[in-house]
Amino acid sequence: MSRPDPLPRRALSARLTPAQLLALVYAAGILIGTGLLHLPGVQRAGAQALTSIDLLFTATSAICITGLVVADTGEAFTRLGQVIIIILVQIGGLGILTFGTLFAFLTGRRLNFSERQGLVAQLNALSVGGVLPLLRAILTYTLVTELVGAVLLSFRFVPQYGLGEGLYQAVFHAVSAYNNGGFVVLAGGMAPYAQDPLVSLTLAVLVILGGLGFLVQLNYVSHLFSPRKNRLLVYSRLTVLTTAILLALGTLVILLVEWQNTKTLGALSTPGKFLAAFFQSVTPRSAGFSTVNIEAMNTATIFTMIGLMFIGANSGSTGGGIKTSTFAILVGSAWNMVRGRGELIVFQRRVLNENVVRAGSITTLYTLLVATAFFALLATNPKLGFTHLLFETVSAAATVGLSMNTTHLLNDPGLLILTALMYLGRIGPLTFAVAFSLRSTQKRNIKYPPERDILVG
């Protein structure tokens, strides 16, 4: 008898491109998650009843590791519902295809080439041949990192909530932070821990690690243990440098603008202000946690956070946005043009022109996506503020999950717009465009003469 096939071969056959596979599998995951949240015993009795659109929104937010919610997760959902949500976050963070491949390993089935291509698209691996060892390393590294984070958080939560509840809270938020999920089930949210170094720094480090991406983390770990054998990739160095600069600038801006704002940092001690500013500089990268009232922040800070959310995390990570490497390439290309240089050089390596074009295409598509969704939200929810809706739009598109206390005020069309936005933000608008673009069945090898008379800028 043949072994059961955990991944339908039709779905992973050569007839589907990696981009199509990624888009369709995430859509299926959202539908399954929505169905699970409709099960009896998932919503708390006596709590605000959630509609099917609310549950679709919640499942999408979990699978797409965003964290936007229409109701407080701890109050609206039972323990069963919370467990379903955090499992969806874990699956969405690691990637649905990653879990499917894990099941294939457990049943002893080998992956064909097209299935490996699907994993390459999802994990942003550099070679098809190295996908499977990379997958094993990712699963191990993820579980160990989440376990360490849960242990650290348990030192605070167990004394506060007791052994069973404390361990549950520690595991839930470690998984939510590392996968950049942003879901919180703590009474009072994260605000009580604004000046708590153990909780804030543990969550911040988990968010940063998840936002760096698996490839970057594993590259640095392997280089640490064997620097001669495993060199640091230019991509790893570029993303870590860009991440550090963005974190430093974000922290500095929040400190300067919010220092005397008694509704945010002004009420905290001096060390608490630095800690809270750093934490809020980390979370717009794609995490969705907040230890201060986002809605009470000054407009300049909101503008900064929108920018950080738009840039997002790194490629191949649990975060969204245009990605830090994309941003770095765009800035580098602009600086090159100012200096009159033709090629972009990063760490003594030449960046391919196709990567520069890809960075521009991704940014353009993201901008058009955000602008279109923002216009739709303004049209369907005219009574809500311009800034609030813009913040909500970018947060959903970048799968961040931060909100200016706006999500629960949106009507059903608004929630559906954000649902589609979170889905597109997770798989990437460029991936979606490539997956379902109309392609000519005839190969064209015609080269046309260049046109140099088109004015740009």
Side-chain angles (χ1 to χ4, degrees):
M1 295 179 62
S2 60
R3 295 180 181 272
D5 191 349
L7 289 175
R9 286 195 177 274
R10 289 185 180 179
L12 287 174
S13 67
R15 287 177 292 180
L16 285 180
T17 66
Q20 291 172 335
L21 177 62
L22 190 63
L24 293 176
V25 169
Y26 268 94
I30 290 171
L31 295 178
I32 293 173
T34 304
L36 292 174
L37 293 181
H38 276 86
L39 293 175
V42 168
Q43 296 187 49
R44 288 191 185 276
Q48 172 189 350
L50 300 180
T51 66
S52 293
I53 291 180
D54 294 334
L55 296 178
L56 171 65
F57 182 91
T58 303
T60 305
S61 183
I63 281 287
C64 298
I65 47 177
T66 304
L68 288 174
V69 293
V70 293
D72 185 276
T73 307
E75 295 179 359
F77 293 95
T78 63
R79 183 60 52 87
L80 173 62
Q82 295 171 23
V83 169
I84 290 175
I85 288 173
I86 201 61
I87 289 175
L88 293 176
V89 168
Q90 181 75 85
I91 292 174
L94 276 175
I96 296 175
L97 294 182
T98 306
F99 274 91
T101 307
L102 174 62
F103 294 144
F105 281 144
L106 295 178
T107 57
R109 184 175 68 80
R110 293 182 176 274
L111 298 184
N112 60 38
F113 186 77
S114 62
E115 292 170 341
R116 289 170 184 252
Q117 282 186 309
L119 284 171
V120 168
Q122 178 176 273
L123 301 175
N124 283 308
L126 298 182
S127 66
V128 177
V131 167
L132 300 186
L134 176 63
L135 177 60
R136 295 189 189 98
I138 285 173
L139 292 172
T140 302
Y141 183 83
T142 297
L143 294 177
V144 170
T145 304
E146 290 175 349
L147 178 61
V148 172
V151 170
L152 291 174
L153 291 175
S154 68
F155 285 112
R156 176 69 68 242
F157 293 150
V158 168
Q160 184 176 356
Y161 294 102
L163 181 60
E165 181 65 18
L167 289 176
Y168 171 75
Q169 294 286 353
V171 171
F172 185 100
H173 292 95
V175 173
S176 183
Y178 183 72
N179 291 284
N180 285 198
F183 283 88
V184 178
V185 292
L186 289 165
M190 289 293 174
Y193 304 96
Q195 302 187 81
D196 189 322
L198 178 59
V199 175
S200 291
L201 291 179
T202 298
L203 292 176
V205 170
L206 288 173
V207 169
I208 292 172
L209 289 177
L212 283 176
F214 303 116
L215 183 61
V216 173
Q217 295 176 63
L218 295 175
N219 184 215
Y220 268 91
V221 170
S222 61
H223 176 75
L224 181 64
F225 286 101
S226 181
R228 292 184 178 180
K229 183 179 179 181
N230 301 298
R231 69 177 181 87
L232 280 179
L233 301 174
V234 171
Y235 168 72
S236 299
R237 297 163 66 185
L238 177 64
T239 53
V240 168
L241 176 62
T242 307
T243 297
I245 292 174
L246 291 173
L247 288 176
L249 288 177
T251 302
L252 181 61
V253 169
I254 294 173
L255 277 174
L256 292 176
V257 179
E258 299 296 325
W259 186 270
Q260 295 183 336
N261 186 347
T262 56
K263 296 181 179 180
T264 55
L265 301 187
L268 306 179
S269 64
T270 299
K273 290 178 181 178
F274 279 91
L275 181 61
F278 173 71
F279 189 84
Q280 290 310 144
S281 178
V282 171
T283 56
R285 304 297 312 290
S286 198
F289 295 122
S290 60
T291 55
V292 297
N293 185 1
I294 302 295
E295 191 177 12
M297 285 182 164
N298 290 306
T299 306
T301 309
I302 295 298
F303 176 79
T304 302
M305 296 185 73
I306 289 175
L308 292 174
M309 290 192 298
F310 188 85
I311 296 170
N314 299 338
S315 299
S317 73
T318 55
I322 64 171
K323 305 296 190 288
T324 52
S325 56
T326 303
F327 177 72
I329 289 175
L330 289 176
V331 173
S333 299
W335 181 240
N336 253 19
M337 182 173 291
V338 170
R339 295 193 299 171
R341 286 189 174 184
E343 294 182 335
L344 177 60
I345 307 299
V346 177
F347 295 112
Q348 299 181 341
R349 291 291 188 274
R350 178 172 57 89
V351 177
L352 296 176
N353 286 333
E354 63 185 70
N355 285 336
V356 177
V357 173
R358 184 181 178 87
S361 300
I362 289 172
T363 305
T364 301
L365 285 173
Y366 249 99
T367 303
L368 291 174
L369 178 66
V370 169
T372 302
F374 180 47
F375 174 82
L377 280 182
L378 288 173
T380 56
N381 293 265
K383 294 183 179 180
L384 298 180
F386 184 95
T387 304
H388 286 68
L389 290 180
L390 178 59
F391 192 93
E392 201 83 5
T393 302
V394 177
S395 180
T399 66
V400 175
L402 290 174
S403 176
M404 296 177 66
N405 197 29
T406 306
T407 312
H408 69 284
L409 300 176
L410 295 171
N411 54 25
D412 286 348
L415 292 177
L416 290 176
I417 291 169
L418 290 190
T419 298
L421 204 53
M422 289 187 288
Y423 168 71
L424 293 174
R426 178 55 178 143
I427 66 173
L430 183 59
T431 299
F432 186 83
V434 170
F436 300 104
S437 62
L438 297 176
R439 297 182 179 180
S440 174
T441 56
Q442 298 178 349
K443 294 183 178 179
R444 296 185 177 181
N445 297 318
I446 303 173
K447 284 191 175 182
Y448 295 94
E451 176 57 57
R452 303 184 184 278
D453 295 333
I454 299 177
L455 300 181
V456 177

